[in-house]
Amino acid sequence: MTSTLTQLNGTIKQYSWNWQNQKYSVTYETLGQGLPVLLLPAFSTVSTRQEMAGIAQILAKNYQVTILDWLGFGDSEHPSLNYKPEIYHQLLQDFVTDTFNKPIILIGAGHASVYALKLAQTNSNLVSRIVLIAPTWCGPLKVMGLPDPVRNGLRETVRSPFLGQLLYHLNTTPSFLRLMYRRHVYTHESKLTPEFISSKKKITQQTGSRYAPAAFVTGTLDPVENRKQFLELIQSLSIPVFIIIAENAPPRSKAEMEAIAELEQVQSVYLPGTLGLHEEFSETVTQEIQKFMS
C-alpha cells in the first residue's frame, strides 16, 4: 500500500489482524526507546497517525512510541465492513496484546479516548496509565440532534456505490475540509494553508475511504450511549487518568470534558485549542503529558 503520509522517521510495520476469519492489514509506526507509549489518533474523516506526529517525536526522546492507524483510516486497510465499536475494541485489545510485553501508557484523542478507557477496564494488566486529549464519545451528527433513523439512513447511503461516492466527495472537497477545520478542529485559520488542506484531502482519496468515516460521523462508532456510561467507565479504573480539556471546544463537547475533570481520581488541565489541539498545539500538549507521566 502506498503511504499517504509523511513518515515520522520511525519504523513502519503492518499488523495482520484476524476479524471473523478474515485477515486485515493495520499500519503502525514505532520510534524511540524506553517505556512503551501507544498513541491513538482521533476518529474523523481525515484520521491518521500523522496528526499525532508532533507528540510522538517529542516523547520518542525518552520513550518507545507507537502510533496506530485505525482500520479503515490512514494507511491501514479500508475494507467495506459494517464498522461498529466491537471491531475497534477487539482490534485494540489484540494489537496491544500481540505488540507489547509490558504495560503501556495509553494516549487517546477524541473518540479514541473511550476505546482506550475500555481497554484499561477489560484488560487492567495491559495499561499503566491513560491520557485523554479533548475526549469525545458522541458522533457529530448525534451531537447535532439527528434521530437514529436519519443517521442510519445517511450511513447506508454513503456506503452505497454511486450516490454514496458522490456524497462523500462533496464532504471531502477542500472548501468543506477547510470549513470543518475552521469551525471545530483548529483555532488559528492561518494554519489552514492550501498545502495543509491538500494533505488532508489526499487522505480521503484512498479506495474504500468512506466506509469507516461514515460510521463515525453518524454515531455508529460511539462506544457509550450517554455521559453516565462514560463517567462510570472512568470511575471503574484504578490506574491514573489525565485529561486535557480544550478551552475552545464546542460547548457540548467541552461540557463532557469538564464532567470528567470533576471525578476525584482524574487529573486535568485546560489548554488553548479545540478538538484538534493534539495536532495544532502538540508541543504544549506534550509538555503537560510529560509532567503527568513523570
Side-chain angles (χ1 to χ4, degrees):
M1 181 182 297
T2 301
S3 176
T4 62
L5 308 177
T6 302
Q7 188 172 341
L8 310 181
N9 296 319
T11 301
I12 297 177
K13 296 181 180 180
Q14 302 300 319
Y15 174 63
S16 181
W17 183 56
N18 186 4
W19 171 256
Q20 297 183 342
N21 299 317
Q22 180 68 44
K23 291 286 188 180
Y24 299 104
S25 181
V26 176
T27 301
Y28 67 101
E29 187 166 356
T30 301
L31 54 163
Q33 294 182 336
L35 292 174
V37 177
L38 177 59
L39 300 180
L40 302 176
F43 288 99
S44 74
T45 305
V46 293
S47 172
T48 71
R49 68 184 188 279
Q50 181 67 26
E51 68 195 56
M52 309 297 281
I55 296 174
Q57 289 167 336
I58 298 172
L59 290 181
K61 297 174 183 177
N62 298 297
Y63 299 89
Q64 180 196 73
V65 181
T66 298
I67 321 174
L68 181 72
D69 268 334
W70 293 107
L71 184 70
F73 298 93
D75 281 337
S76 290
E77 192 172 347
H78 295 68
S80 57
L81 294 173
N82 180 22
Y83 289 93
K84 51 188 177 181
E86 291 81 359
I87 289 177
Y88 293 109
H89 286 313
Q90 193 64 52
L91 169 60
L92 185 57
Q93 176 178 303
D94 292 345
F95 177 77
V96 171
T97 300
D98 293 341
T99 306
F100 303 98
N101 57 16
K102 61 179 64 174
I104 63 171
I105 299 169
L106 198 46
I107 301 175
H111 253 52
S113 299
V114 195
Y115 287 93
L117 291 167
K118 189 67 175 178
L119 176 70
Q121 181 193 53
T122 56
N123 298 268
S124 58
N125 61 310
L126 299 180
V127 184
S128 62
R129 58 185 60 197
I130 285 183
V131 177
L132 314 176
I133 308 174
T136 60
W137 60 264
C138 190
L141 295 186
K142 188 183 289 188
V143 172
M144 292 170 59
L146 270 66
D148 289 352
V150 175
R151 289 186 287 104
N152 293 337
L154 284 171
R155 183 190 66 237
E156 293 308 309
T157 299
V158 174
R159 289 180 58 85
S160 64
F162 302 108
L163 183 56
Q165 291 172 336
L166 174 62
L167 286 175
Y168 182 71
H169 170 73
L170 293 175
N171 281 273
T172 55
T173 61
S175 59
F176 187 85
L177 291 175
R178 183 180 176 83
L179 174 65
M180 177 184 71
Y181 267 84
R182 190 173 69 243
R183 290 185 63 181
H184 56 252
V185 184
Y186 268 40
T187 55
H188 293 295
E189 190 172 349
S190 61
K191 297 179 181 180
L192 306 180
T193 63
E195 293 76 18
F196 178 87
I197 296 299
S198 176
S199 70
K200 298 300 180 181
K201 170 69 175 177
K202 188 176 181 181
I203 295 166
T204 70
Q205 299 306 293
Q206 299 182 78
T207 301
S209 290
R210 71 186 188 275
Y211 300 114
F216 163 69
V217 170
T218 55
T220 309
L221 298 186
D222 293 356
V224 294
E225 293 296 323
N226 51 55
R227 180 189 292 182
K228 182 174 182 291
Q229 291 182 3
F230 194 10
L231 298 182
E232 288 175 346
L233 179 57
I234 299 172
Q235 289 174 311
S236 70
L237 303 181
S238 58
I239 61 173
V241 178
F242 178 52
I243 175 176
I244 297 176
I245 303 170
E247 290 180 346
N248 309 104
R252 178 167 176 179
S253 297
K254 187 176 180 180
E256 300 298 332
M257 299 174 203
E258 291 178 327
I260 299 171
E262 293 177 1
L263 298 178
E264 184 176 350
Q265 74 268 42
V266 174
Q267 300 179 47
S268 64
V269 66
Y270 283 81
L271 289 180
T274 182
L275 300 183
L277 83 164
H278 58 285
E279 182 177 26
E280 184 179 12
F281 300 108
S282 59
E283 187 171 334
T284 305
V285 167
T286 310
Q287 288 175 355
E288 296 299 330
I289 291 174
Q290 289 175 314
K291 292 177 186 178
F292 170 71
M293 288 164 59
S294 62

